[in-house]
Amino acid sequence: MKTDTIAFIMEGRRQRRLRWMLVTGILSLLTCALCCAMLYLGNTVYPVKDIVRALTGEQIKGVSFAIETIRLPRVLAGLFAGFAFGIAGNTFQTMLRNPLANPNVIGITTGSSAAAVFCIVVLHTSDTFVSVASVVAGLITVLLIYALSRGRTFSIGRLILVGIGIQAMLNAVISYLLLVSAEQDIPAALRWLSGSLNGSQMHELPTLMITILIFAPIVVALGKHLSILELGEQSAASLGVSTDKTRIALIFSSVCMIAIATATTGPIAFVAFLSGPIAKRLVGVGFSNAIPAGLVGVVLVLAADLVGQFAFEVRFPVGVITGILGAPYLIYLLIRMNRKGDL
């Protein structure tokens, strides 16, 4: 290969790396700013120095309770759940080469929610068992969708349509469970369905944090292989990628993250759906956008929660705001894909 050609390729790679670093840096700064705003804003606005003292463990009357019990758990829940939804949604969309193929649209989060609601209103189990059941149900939903969508040849469009059908069926199951459940169980069950940071508690967060810290590095480490999988089954195999093992590791990691995030905050609508396309538009092609997609998920959740809390006279759950943002994009995407014959 000529020297000029090599220099041209290296220059293009350097520019793409700089763009990736710039986008990731800006998203990180935006995340920090939103976290600070959520700690600062509330029914009572405390001086910044008192908030810092409360965060360092100093007991200040009124401030410590508001920061440690209400605002900090809310920030951490939004931070880790948003990252989980963003990185998991991007993984499914990239691996299946279709923006509709994300856990919200094909029913994986609905499977986790249905299992959680069943445990809450029928079995009355502990929070730990509910979390385990949501993960298992998410994995079973993936296997069921894959099994029902298999034909002579694998079709992503068929997989998406099967997923939408299973999601509708699971929603019917959830509606039936709520209809026959005791009145006192309904609030806890609705928490799984609306997607909200309200009532987040510090003791609920260790499981979510540990899950993200274990599985997010796996998804990031497999980011190079994920980009190759985007080229297609045969191309990936010819480049030496073990497609089955890589796909299983990515699906298992993503489902565990999104199921535990759903167990903590409920299925916050459209975050997994929007994060990947936004990150891809910002970063461009050539580098894995797993981390930027996770950060976009965090920004969406935290910003939507601030809007839901303070932009209207009535406070709305974060899932309502993200639903308003995501629904028009979903309709636009369906119309565009139908015109191109991708559905």
Side-chain angles (χ1 to χ4, degrees):
M1 187 177 294
K2 293 182 179 180
T3 306
D4 291 345
T5 304
I6 295 175
F8 179 77
I9 294 174
M10 295 301 293
E11 176 61 19
R13 184 172 178 79
R14 187 184 71 84
Q15 291 183 1
R16 290 194 296 273
R17 183 183 293 112
L18 286 175
R19 181 175 176 177
W20 186 94
M21 294 173 65
L22 179 64
V23 169
T24 305
I26 292 174
L27 289 172
S28 299
L29 291 175
L30 193 54
T31 297
C32 292
L34 290 168
C35 289
C36 293
M38 289 183 67
L39 290 172
Y40 183 70
L41 298 174
N43 291 332
T44 303
V45 177
Y46 300 107
V48 174
K49 64 178 182 181
D50 287 347
I51 295 174
V52 175
R53 288 166 60 194
L55 288 174
T56 57
E58 188 174 342
Q59 291 299 313
I60 305 173
K61 188 176 181 181
V63 182
S64 295
F65 176 80
I67 299 299
E68 295 176 1
T69 308
I70 300 175
R71 299 184 191 179
L72 185 59
R74 191 184 190 100
V75 171
L76 293 177
L79 188 70
F80 282 91
F83 193 84
F85 286 127
I87 196 169
N90 174 73
T91 300
F92 274 93
Q93 289 168 325
T94 305
M95 186 168 52
L96 297 176
R97 308 191 302 278
N98 193 306
L100 287 177
N102 73 85
N104 290 138
V105 174
I106 63 176
I108 297 173
T109 54
T110 311
S112 296
S113 296
V117 171
F118 182 78
C119 291
I120 292 170
V121 304
V122 178
L123 302 180
H124 300 96
T125 57
S126 64
D127 291 342
T128 303
F129 188 85
V130 171
S131 299
V132 172
S134 68
V135 173
V136 174
L139 290 170
I140 291 175
T141 305
V142 171
L143 293 175
L144 183 62
I145 293 170
Y146 182 73
L148 293 178
S149 62
R150 289 191 66 182
R152 291 183 178 178
T153 59
F154 178 71
S155 168
I156 295 174
R158 188 164 54 234
L159 182 144
I160 293 170
L161 292 176
V162 169
I164 291 173
I166 288 179
Q167 184 186 43
M169 183 184 69
L170 291 171
N171 278 326
V173 172
I174 292 172
S175 298
Y176 174 76
L177 290 173
L178 291 177
L179 188 66
V180 300
S181 63
E183 188 175 345
Q184 64 269 19
D185 294 328
I186 292 179
L190 288 178
R191 176 176 165 73
W192 281 82
L193 306 175
S194 60
S196 173
L197 303 182
N198 296 338
S200 297
Q201 298 179 18
M202 197 61 84
H203 70 83
E204 298 173 335
L205 300 179
T207 304
L208 173 63
M209 294 178 177
I210 292 171
T211 302
I212 304 305
L213 292 176
I214 291 174
F215 291 109
I218 294 175
V219 174
V220 173
L222 292 175
K224 184 178 179 181
H225 291 176
L226 182 61
S227 301
I228 297 175
L229 280 176
E230 197 175 9
L231 300 175
E233 193 83 13
Q234 293 182 347
S235 300
S238 65
L239 291 172
V241 175
S242 178
T243 56
D244 290 337
K245 291 180 180 178
T246 302
R247 189 174 286 114
I248 290 172
L250 288 170
I251 290 175
F252 183 77
S253 301
S254 300
V255 169
C256 286
M257 284 192 290
I258 208 158
I260 294 296
T262 304
T264 306
T265 66
I268 300 177
F270 292 113
V271 175
F273 176 57
L274 292 172
S275 300
I278 293 175
K280 191 172 185 178
R281 183 64 62 91
L282 293 173
V283 174
V285 296
F287 276 88
S288 169
N289 59 354
I291 293 177
L295 291 173
V296 169
V298 175
V299 170
L300 285 174
V301 171
L302 297 185
D305 189 55
L306 281 173
V307 171
Q309 285 191 77
F310 304 113
F312 308 99
E313 292 184 359
V314 178
R315 294 194 173 190
F316 293 102
V318 60
V320 173
I321 306 301
T322 56
I324 293 172
L325 292 173
Y329 178 69
L330 175 60
I331 295 171
Y332 160 76
L333 197 61
L334 288 170
I335 293 173
R336 194 182 70 172
M337 293 179 70
N338 185 51
R339 287 177 178 172
K340 293 172 65 177
D342 292 337
L343 285 178

